[in-house]
Amino acid sequence: MNHLSHSNLSKSKLNFFRQLQQKKYRLEYKLFLAYGEKLCQEAILSGFQIEAIIIRTDYVGQVSIPIDVPIYSANFEDFAKLTDQQNPEGLLSVIKIPNWLPIETLDFNRPSIFLWDIQDPGNLGTIIRTMYWFGVKQLLLTPSCAELTNPKVVRASMGGIFHIQPFWPENSKSWINQYAELIYAASANGNSIQQIKPRKNILLLGNESHGIPPEIIHNNLVEKVSIPGYAGESLNVGVAGGILLFWMAGNSL
């Protein structure tokens, strides 16, 4: 730690920070939680506003924290109330949710991922982590996707959450129909990516159980693409997203 000045975590502060494990309070207060040294450092380096740091009494790590950020010390019992992890690292950041840019600022010249109703926070975090690896920053989400600042999403993203620009089109189906000719959609019935040289910048991935709605898949302007395989019913959406990201964006690395 770059400075030692800190206060003991009061019950009122503990109760306030505990609320941030719930979506409604994260959205109300525009704050979210990030666990561990790596995510704290990533947030600071990416310019996110750190509202507070909570450290467990046994924490001995090293992280460079802005001098004006309040630091609170918590015992084992209180710190455990702030996370659902079995063996959490002894540092927790409370981070301001930024004012995300409007959909009108989307850059169609850069690659984007569009997620349709991705429900599992781990899948969403994994996709964001993979986007970060390939340098893809623009992420479009339907309103029913897992919430972006869910602690499990943040954790699974491994810092990628601090390097993406999310967008939420007001009417996802209308938006897709408007820009259909610019979109690849992952589909078991699509043409193999082995036969296609990527030339579009938007990749659409569907819900874990139901995929992409039929009215979108049946839009002939949306180009359906598939991953060749030999067995099994389907790939996990996070795995499929990684393969398709490599095909679409990785070719330019």
Side-chain angles (χ1 to χ4, degrees):
M1 199 74 65
N2 64 337
H3 57 298
L4 300 176
S5 176
H6 60 268
S7 308
N8 290 327
L9 185 66
S10 66
K11 284 192 175 181
S12 62
K13 285 289 184 184
L14 172 63
N15 291 333
F16 175 74
F17 294 141
R18 283 186 76 179
Q19 292 182 99
L20 300 178
Q21 295 179 84
Q22 300 179 52
K23 176 181 177 179
K24 67 176 182 177
Y25 292 113
R26 290 194 294 270
L27 298 183
E28 178 181 345
Y29 299 124
K30 297 205 74 176
L31 296 170
F32 69 101
L33 304 173
Y35 301 91
E37 228 173 78
K38 175 179 171 55
L39 292 182
C40 178
Q41 202 65 65
E42 287 280 358
I44 293 168
L45 293 174
S46 303
F48 276 63
Q49 184 176 331
I50 311 297
E51 293 291 316
I53 297 287
I54 300 103
I55 58 171
R56 202 171 53 203
T57 48
D58 67 325
Y59 176 74
V60 293
Q62 294 293 320
V63 62
S64 185
I65 299 170
I67 198 71
D68 58 340
V69 174
I71 300 176
Y72 300 98
S73 178
N75 60 35
F76 272 74
E77 183 181 355
D78 286 347
F79 195 90
K81 294 174 181 176
L82 297 169
T83 175
D84 60 356
Q85 291 177 278
Q86 291 298 317
N87 297 293
E89 225 178 310
L91 182 144
L92 168 61
S93 311
V94 181
I95 301 172
K96 186 77 173 175
I97 298 176
N99 294 317
W100 305 115
L101 296 173
I103 186 66
E104 291 76 21
T105 64
L106 182 80
D107 185 349
F108 288 95
N109 294 314
R110 296 169 57 198
S112 304
I113 302 299
F114 199 136
L115 301 182
W116 191 276
D117 292 1
I118 298 299
Q119 299 293 297
D120 185 86
N123 284 336
L124 177 53
T126 296
I127 292 167
I128 293 170
R129 180 180 182 179
T130 310
M131 288 174 62
Y132 182 30
W133 176 262
F134 287 116
V136 176
K137 296 187 176 181
Q138 298 184 139
L139 176 65
L140 296 97
L141 306 105
T142 57
S144 297
C145 278
E147 195 254 320
L148 196 62
T149 58
N150 180 307
K152 293 179 181 178
V153 175
V154 176
R155 191 158 61 238
S157 80
M158 291 296 288
I161 189 76
F162 304 114
H163 299 275
I164 62 160
Q165 175 57 59
F167 300 95
W168 289 268
E170 191 169 323
N171 186 315
S172 299
K173 289 182 181 178
S174 295
W175 194 95
I176 289 171
N177 287 330
Q178 182 178 356
Y179 297 106
E181 72 278 3
L182 305 178
I183 297 172
Y184 288 121
S187 170
N189 299 317
N191 295 317
S192 170
I193 55 174
Q194 290 181 325
Q195 311 301 325
I196 304 170
K197 183 177 176 62
R199 62 192 185 283
K200 301 181 180 184
N201 277 338
I202 301 173
L203 173 63
L204 176 63
L205 300 172
N207 172 269
E208 293 92 338
S209 300
H210 307 294
I212 297 167
E215 57 266 42
I216 294 173
I217 283 295
H218 294 152
N219 184 328
N220 290 328
L221 293 178
V222 174
E223 187 170 352
K224 275 65 73 178
V225 296
S226 65
I227 299 167
Y230 303 99
E233 183 181 337
S234 64
L235 286 171
N236 168 274
V237 67
V239 173
I243 294 169
L244 292 169
L245 270 167
F246 176 71
W247 166 71
M248 191 179 81
N251 278 277
S252 61
L253 293 176

